[in-house]
């Protein structure tokens, strides 16, 4: 038997997770697109999380002492010296 992929949702796992998800009913007026099966959506999310590269750590920089300000572009705001 082949080893299951990490993103495959087993029946035992789905028996635990499935009841926790909310049940959605389609609207009668303008129902929109049919929903994807919750189990398939979970599998896709797990597969994307497994395939995503690890995020690079953010660079550690100190914030500037100056507050962020917009340049004064209004003509009345400029001082005439």
């Amino acid at each position: 038997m082949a080893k299951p992929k990490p993103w495959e949702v087993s029946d035992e796992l789905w028996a635990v997770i499935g009841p926790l998800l909310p049940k959605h009913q389609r609207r009668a007026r303008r129902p929109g697109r049919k929903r994807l099966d919750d189990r398939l959506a979970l599998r896709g999310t797990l597969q994307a999380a497994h395939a995503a590269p690890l995020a690079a750590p953010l660079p550690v920089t100190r914030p500037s002492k100056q507050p962020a300000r917009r340049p004064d572009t209004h003509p009345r705001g400029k001082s005439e010296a």
Side-chain angles (χ1 to χ4, degrees), residues 13-81:
L13 179 61
W14 186 248
V16 174
I17 295 175
L20 299 176
L21 299 175
K23 304 293 181 207
H24 291 280
Q25 294 186 8
R26 294 185 73 188
R27 296 178 297 201
R29 184 176 179 199
R30 295 192 293 178
R33 184 181 294 196
K34 287 187 178 180
R35 286 179 51 97
L36 185 65
D37 180 45
D38 288 336
R39 190 170 182 166
L40 287 175
L42 177 63
R43 180 180 175 174
T45 303
L46 293 175
Q47 185 175 4
H50 185 265
L54 295 176
L58 295 174
V60 179
T61 58
R62 295 179 182 220
S64 113
K65 300 280 185 188
Q66 288 278 14
R69 292 188 182 166
R70 191 180 311 175
D72 195 9
T73 57
H74 196 277
R76 287 183 285 171
K78 295 182 179 178
S79 62
E80 296 178 23

